[in-house]
């Protein structure tokens, strides 16, 4: 089911984009300093006035946003380094030599095909023909399900989403899941917001849709009319959709219905026919995340002619495959989704885009080689030891909370003890199996569609089966981490277990401020406004006494108010409700990591390093991870989409709630970094 992930950062993967890049790629991996050094601090700024500026303003000045990025931060530096490693793996696997393993053939030939721009240019729009022909042959709206099946299996996002996920109330069981979908813009709010910027964005979107139809060969007047139709149908679907804040509420996205009940919501769409063809095992009930969306689907099917629907489907074939079409499509796609929407100035070099696509489509085949090269058993053991210290600290925190009663504490401790930890990479036998996926050298378009089909089938095959907690949601080179409330586990892939998060050569204080706070963050997700609604087994079940729940909500509303007053860009404030879970996790995570550090120090005061006490270095290590720059365009976009606060508030919002910070930096009682109404949940 969607929205079940509470991740550490957002990877801005909205729409990755491709283009022609002709000059040879000889660039080497960046070598800038990832480790913290005191030279990074701006000594002209008082840490008690603006800790983020003290720790990050020099980094910000020295690290402007690269032209091919909408934002740039320490996470991106790591990501970029990883891309060079992955490129080496892919290039080596791409050498056409005997004795390649099956996975080497797939990843190597996938990458080589993606890089073969001349073959892609030569093919032109020919790869689109089977989809366009099939759409053109539709005789009535009754045939829509068959075409939707075809396109969804190829990876197109049309009309709605269909996949599998844990049953929220019986989490060990995987069930089918129908979800809202089929929009071209990033979110339902984009279709309805009335501020000038949003109105302008919609107008530019319609212009972009028109241009894409023209590139596909339609005359300008026809393309203009088609673009209008696309906008109308997508707006119609969006009317039934939930916004991002609502989608964080598990109660709002869990509706277990029988197949008949689903069919009754939208009789204009033959669900039986759809389920027979999509490739799912038989089932009798499923989760319908947003029943109102399915009802609205019914209206939109009825309101628009077959020809209008054909236009909508052709549009999604175009936009959803734009990345692997000739340069003209790639550039136009980038103009809207990269430039206009996110404020990115230039397209990323082709090899970086192809590394991204290969990672997306064959991530665990690449990951098996990546971890052999980068991640030893020692890294896993040391991280696990840290996780145990953090879990112990959270246990102590729960036991000593003044506002929580014994009954709820008992349940919370049971839940904490049940959290399982996945570190580095999947266990043997749990790697994704790509043996049924055919990758053909020279067929970038076909490879992408077959990979999408393979992935959908993998998801659908789980329906009706027990949950397998050994399967990972993303490949091990990912620079991120997550907590899954349905599985009650945390995942820390190999990618994030490196400087500046974690470093064998740094003192404990820096590591606890970095990876320690990140581990604490993920553990706290089990107890934020969303995670706290799930129990030790991952089931949606209320284990709180009413009094304790009230106390909890009073404390989370403090955080909601605090962050809701922070300005993201121009007149746009953060959405305190959308970001509540992440902010709660940031605050709890930093606090319990600090507790864990104190137990490691065991009352001894280590000699200052570079003139900073261990306590000061802990907070510096934390801030260092969140240094970042963002374009105004993406800052605006993320206010609507991102449940995470920008780096500045992840740092200042959090440390200003901690008396330990005030003490470490000897701040005066009325200093800006001392929140007079300090919020404290965990
Ligand atoms: Zn998070």
């Amino acid at each position: 089911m969607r929205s079940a992930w509470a991740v550490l950062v957002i990877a801005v993967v909205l729409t990755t984009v491709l283009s022609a890049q002709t000059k040879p790629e000889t660039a080497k991996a960046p070598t800038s300093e990832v480790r913290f050094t005191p030279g990074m601090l701006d000594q002209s700024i008082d840490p008690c006035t603006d800790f983020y500026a003290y720790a990050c303003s020099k980094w910000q000045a020295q690290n402007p946003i690269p032209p091919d990025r909408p934002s740039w931060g320490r996470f991106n530096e790591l990501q970029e380094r990883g891309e060079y490693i992955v490129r080496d793996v892919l290039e080596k696997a791409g050498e056409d030599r005997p004795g390649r393993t099956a996975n080497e053939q797939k990843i190597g030939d996938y990458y080589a095909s993606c890089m073969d721009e001349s073959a892609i240019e030569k093919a032109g729009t020919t790869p689109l023909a089977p989809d366009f022909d099939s759409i053109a042959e539709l005789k009535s709206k009754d045939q829509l399900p068959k075409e939707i099946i075809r396109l969804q299996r190829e990876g197109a996002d049309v009309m709605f989403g269909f996949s599998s996920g844990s049953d929220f109330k019986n989490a060990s069981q995987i069930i089918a899941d129908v979800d809202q979908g089929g929009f071209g813009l990033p979110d339902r709010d984009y279709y309805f917001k009335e501020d000038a910027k949003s109105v302008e964005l919609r107008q530019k979107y319609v212009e972009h849709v028109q241009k894409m139809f023209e590139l596909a060969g339609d005359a300008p007047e026809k393309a203009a009319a088609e673009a209008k139709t696309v906008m109308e149908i997508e707006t119609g679907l969006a009317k039934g959709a939930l916004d991002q804040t609502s989608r964080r509420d598990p109660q709002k996205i869990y509706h277990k219905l029988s197949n008949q009940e689903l069919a009754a919501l939208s009789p204009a769409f033959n669900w039986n026919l759809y389920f027979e063809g999509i490739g799912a095992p038989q089932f009798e009930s499923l989760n319908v995340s947003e029943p109102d969306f399915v009802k609205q689907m019914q209206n939109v099917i009825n309101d628009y002619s077959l020809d209008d629907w054909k236009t909508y489907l052709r549009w999604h074939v175009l936009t959803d495959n734009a990345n692997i079409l000739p340069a003209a499509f790639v550039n136009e796609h980038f103009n809207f989704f990269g430039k206009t929407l996110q404020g990115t100035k230039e397209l990323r070099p082709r090899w970086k885009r192809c590394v991204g696509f290969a990672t997306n489509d064959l991530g665990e085949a690449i990951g098996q080689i990546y971890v052999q090269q980068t991640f030893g058993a020692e890294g896993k053991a040391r991280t696990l030891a840290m996780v145990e210290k953090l879990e112990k600290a959270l246990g102590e925190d729960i036991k000593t909370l003044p506002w929580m009663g014994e009954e709820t504490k008992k349940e919370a401790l049971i839940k904490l003890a049940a959290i399982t930890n996945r570190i580095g990479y999947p266990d043997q036998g749990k790697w994704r199996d790509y043996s049924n996926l055919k990758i053909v050298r020279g067929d970038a378009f076909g490879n992408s569609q077959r990979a999408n089909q393979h992935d959908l089938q993998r998801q659908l095959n789980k329906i009706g089966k027990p949950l397998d907690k050994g399967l990972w949601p993303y490949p091990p080179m990912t620079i991120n981490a997550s907590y899954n409330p349905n599985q009650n586990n945390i995942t820390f892939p190999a990618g994030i277990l490196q400087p500046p998060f974690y470093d064998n050569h740094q003192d404990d204080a820096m590591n606890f401020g970095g990876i320690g706070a990140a581990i604490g963050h993920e553990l706290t997700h089990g107890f934020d406004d969303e995670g706290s609604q799930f129990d030790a087994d991952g089931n949606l079940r209320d284990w709180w006494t009413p009094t304790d729940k009230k106390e909890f909500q009073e404390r989370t509303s403090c955080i909601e108010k605090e962050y809701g007053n922070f300005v993201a860009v121009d007149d746009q404030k953060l959405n305190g409700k959308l970001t509540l879970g992440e902010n709660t996790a940031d605050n709890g995570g930093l606090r319990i990591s600090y507790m864990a550090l104190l137990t490691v120090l065991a009352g001894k005061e280590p000699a200052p390093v570079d003139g900073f006490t261990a306590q000061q270095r802990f907070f510096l290590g934390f801030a260092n991870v969140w240094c970042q720059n963002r374009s105004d365009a993406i800052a605006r976009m993320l206010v609507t989409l991102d449940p995470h606060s920008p780096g500045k508030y992840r740092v200042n919002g959090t440390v200003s709630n901690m008396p330990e910070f005030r003490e470490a930096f000897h701040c005066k009682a009325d200093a800006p970094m001392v929140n007079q109404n300090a919020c404290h949940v965990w």
Side-chain angles (χ1 to χ4, degrees):
M1 235 146 286
R2 265 144 289 271
S3 290
W5 292 98
V7 295
L8 189 64
V9 284
I10 190 173
V12 183
V13 283
L14 227 169
T15 320
T16 25
V17 275
L18 282 170
S19 96
Q21 167 94 14
T22 44
K23 63 175 188 280
E25 301 296 343
T26 51
K28 293 275 181 304
T31 52
S32 71
E33 184 58 72
V34 285
R35 296 193 169 95
F36 168 80
T37 63
M40 290 173 168
L41 303 173
D42 186 340
Q43 302 289 356
S44 72
I45 295 170
D46 180 356
C48 297
T49 302
D50 185 342
F51 188 56
Y52 185 73
Y54 172 69
C56 287
S57 61
K58 261 179 133 174
W59 182 95
Q60 287 178 304
Q62 287 161 6
N63 293 274
I65 304 169
D68 64 348
R69 295 274 193 168
S71 57
W72 188 249
R74 312 239 47 198
F75 277 74
N76 303 105
E77 290 177 338
L78 283 189
Q79 192 194 349
E80 188 121 323
R81 267 160 223 274
E83 284 170 354
Y84 282 85
I85 299 172
V86 170
R87 180 175 70 167
D88 286 346
V89 169
L90 294 172
E91 282 181 346
K92 200 150 171 270
E95 291 164 12
D96 202 355
R97 59 187 155 79
R100 287 194 294 173
T101 64
N103 273 349
E104 283 172 339
Q105 180 273 322
K106 288 179 211 295
I107 63 176
D109 288 352
Y110 181 103
Y111 181 71
S113 311
C114 181
M115 289 300 290
D116 189 353
E117 291 175 272
S118 63
I120 292 170
E121 289 301 322
K122 215 171 127 195
T125 54
T126 319
L128 297 171
D131 287 338
F132 278 7
D133 290 350
S134 172
I135 293 168
E137 282 161 20
L138 290 175
K139 301 275 183 294
S140 75
K141 284 195 261 180
D142 292 345
Q143 293 177 332
L144 277 175
K146 273 178 77 178
E147 191 55 32
I148 301 280
I149 289 167
R150 248 181 69 82
L151 298 175
Q152 284 184 349
R153 285 183 65 80
E154 291 168 358
D157 176 19
V158 281
M159 207 185 258
F160 59 89
F162 183 62
S163 190
S164 64
S166 279
D167 183 338
F168 278 12
K169 293 198 172 166
N170 181 16
S172 62
Q173 198 61 32
I174 301 296
I175 57 172
D177 177 41
V178 165
D179 197 4
Q180 65 189 40
F183 323 122
L185 288 167
D187 178 58
R188 59 97 62 204
D189 284 356
Y190 277 80
Y191 293 91
F192 306 112
K193 281 201 290 194
E194 279 304 328
D195 60 284
K197 280 244 181 336
S198 300
V199 172
E200 187 194 340
L201 211 54
R202 282 199 289 278
Q203 188 195 328
K204 289 193 168 160
Y205 177 61
V206 173
E207 288 165 15
H208 162 68
V209 178
Q210 177 183 342
K211 282 182 199 149
M212 290 289 278
F213 274 120
E214 287 180 37
L215 287 174
D218 293 351
E221 311 80 72
K222 187 180 175 218
E226 288 173 326
K228 265 186 70 188
T229 302
V230 165
M231 190 60 174
E232 281 181 29
I233 290 187
E234 288 185 353
T235 308
L237 290 173
K239 259 182 209 159
L242 291 178
D243 65 17
Q244 295 301 322
T245 304
S246 303
R247 282 169 66 80
R248 283 194 64 249
D249 182 348
Q251 306 286 353
K252 289 190 180 157
I253 53 166
Y254 180 73
H255 307 92
K256 203 167 170 187
L257 304 184
S258 69
N259 296 4
Q260 291 76 13
E261 286 169 319
L262 167 66
L265 294 175
S266 59
F269 188 82
N270 190 334
W271 286 99
N272 283 337
L273 193 69
Y274 174 82
F275 290 139
E276 276 167 28
I278 192 68
Q282 277 207 341
F283 55 86
E284 262 131 48
S285 62
L286 75 167
N287 182 46
V288 179
S289 298
E290 305 88 359
D292 284 346
F293 177 81
V294 179
K295 277 191 220 162
Q296 179 59 13
M297 231 176 85
Q298 162 83 8
N299 296 333
V300 187
I301 293 172
N302 286 335
D303 289 349
Y304 291 88
S305 68
L306 176 64
D307 278 346
D308 289 341
W309 276 102
K310 287 182 180 181
T311 299
Y312 166 84
L313 296 177
R314 284 177 74 234
W315 158 245
H316 276 274
V317 170
L318 274 175
T319 190
D320 296 346
N321 293 297
N323 289 331
I324 35 157
L325 287 172
F329 291 89
V330 172
N331 291 334
E332 175 52 36
H333 187 77
F334 171 75
N335 276 339
F336 180 75
F337 287 102
K339 258 187 201 159
T340 306
L341 202 57
Q342 303 190 36
T344 315
K345 294 188 177 76
E346 281 173 21
L347 197 57
R348 302 197 76 200
R350 185 160 192 102
W351 75 264
K352 288 185 185 174
R353 284 175 276 138
C354 287
V355 161
F357 303 147
T359 301
N360 196 41
D361 283 345
L362 288 156
E364 291 198 12
I366 301 167
Q368 290 182 54
I369 304 173
Y370 172 90
V371 294
Q372 281 168 8
Q373 292 182 4
T374 60
F375 194 68
E378 194 203 331
K380 191 164 184 162
R382 290 193 62 155
T383 311
L384 268 172
M386 273 189 98
V387 171
E388 277 159 24
K389 291 192 180 84
L390 266 294
E391 285 174 345
K392 219 170 150 219
L394 181 52
E396 285 305 313
D397 178 59
I398 291 169
K399 279 182 214 157
T400 53
L401 280 180
W403 55 267
M404 189 186 266
E406 288 309 313
E407 213 178 316
T408 311
K409 277 185 182 177
K410 202 175 141 206
E411 289 270 3
L413 290 168
I414 291 172
K415 177 165 182 176
L416 173 63
I419 293 178
T420 49
N421 311 309
R422 306 194 293 194
I423 310 294
Y425 51 90
D427 289 338
Q428 211 41 259
K430 294 297 181 186
W431 289 97
R432 262 178 222 180
D433 176 12
Y434 297 99
S435 52
N436 288 329
L437 172 58
K438 194 170 145 202
I439 297 296
V440 180
R441 200 167 180 117
D443 183 14
F445 192 93
N447 290 341
S448 164
Q449 291 207 327
R450 283 187 294 274
N452 289 335
Q453 187 162 337
H454 184 265
D455 195 58
L456 178 64
Q457 195 61 57
R458 184 180 65 83
Q459 296 289 358
L460 299 187
N461 288 345
K462 296 178 189 169
I463 294 170
K465 296 203 178 119
L467 166 73
D468 185 344
K469 285 192 180 186
L471 305 177
W472 278 46
Y474 41 71
M477 49 279 193
T478 309
I479 316 293
N480 215 331
S482 55
Y483 171 80
N484 185 330
N486 299 135
Q487 303 187 4
N488 197 25
N489 61 10
I490 59 172
T491 304
F492 274 77
I496 199 169
L497 302 172
Q498 54 177 322
F501 283 95
Y502 174 75
D503 189 348
N504 272 338
H505 305 291
Q506 294 268 30
D507 53 335
D508 283 325
M510 289 304 271
N511 280 334
F512 275 90
I515 199 75
I519 296 167
H521 171 106
E522 299 306 342
L523 291 173
T524 307
H525 270 313
F527 304 91
D528 69 17
D529 59 319
E530 183 185 17
S532 63
Q533 299 184 53
F534 294 87
D535 67 12
D537 298 319
N539 290 322
L540 187 57
R541 177 179 71 83
D542 191 1
W543 46 269
W544 295 69
T545 64
T547 323
D548 290 340
K549 190 93 201 185
K550 212 172 139 260
E551 294 282 342
F552 174 71
Q553 282 164 347
E554 261 171 40
R555 281 159 182 80
T556 53
S557 77
C558 175
I559 291 199
E560 190 181 325
K561 276 189 213 117
E562 179 192 0
Y563 286 78
N565 274 318
F566 292 144
V567 175
V569 59
D570 303 334
D571 58 338
Q572 300 275 301
K573 285 186 176 176
L574 293 185
N575 178 340
K577 219 176 170 60
L578 175 64
T579 57
L580 176 56
E582 296 300 334
N583 298 331
T584 305
D586 279 345
N587 279 272
L590 193 64
R591 198 182 307 273
I592 64 166
S593 191
Y594 190 85
M595 288 169 65
L597 173 65
L598 292 188
T599 56
V600 169
L601 297 180
K604 294 192 195 86
E605 188 64 49
V609 180
D610 299 324
F612 292 102
T613 65
Q615 285 80 359
Q616 288 171 333
R617 286 173 63 77
F618 170 83
F619 289 107
L620 290 170
F622 174 66
N624 182 40
V625 159
W626 294 113
C627 299
Q628 62 183 208
N629 284 307
R630 282 178 175 180
S631 75
D632 284 356
I634 200 156
R636 183 172 285 274
M637 182 173 107
L638 294 181
V639 167
T640 308
L641 296 182
D642 192 357
H644 306 84
S645 298
K648 177 178 173 182
Y649 302 118
R650 295 190 81 152
V651 173
N652 286 353
T654 306
V655 300
S656 64
N657 284 328
M658 284 182 69
E660 296 87 346
F661 171 81
R662 181 187 161 188
E663 211 173 280
F665 285 91
H666 313 293
C667 301
K668 293 197 184 111
D670 60 351
M673 288 293 102
V674 179
N675 186 350
Q676 299 308 315
N677 300 304
C679 306
H680 183 166
V681 186
W682 302 104

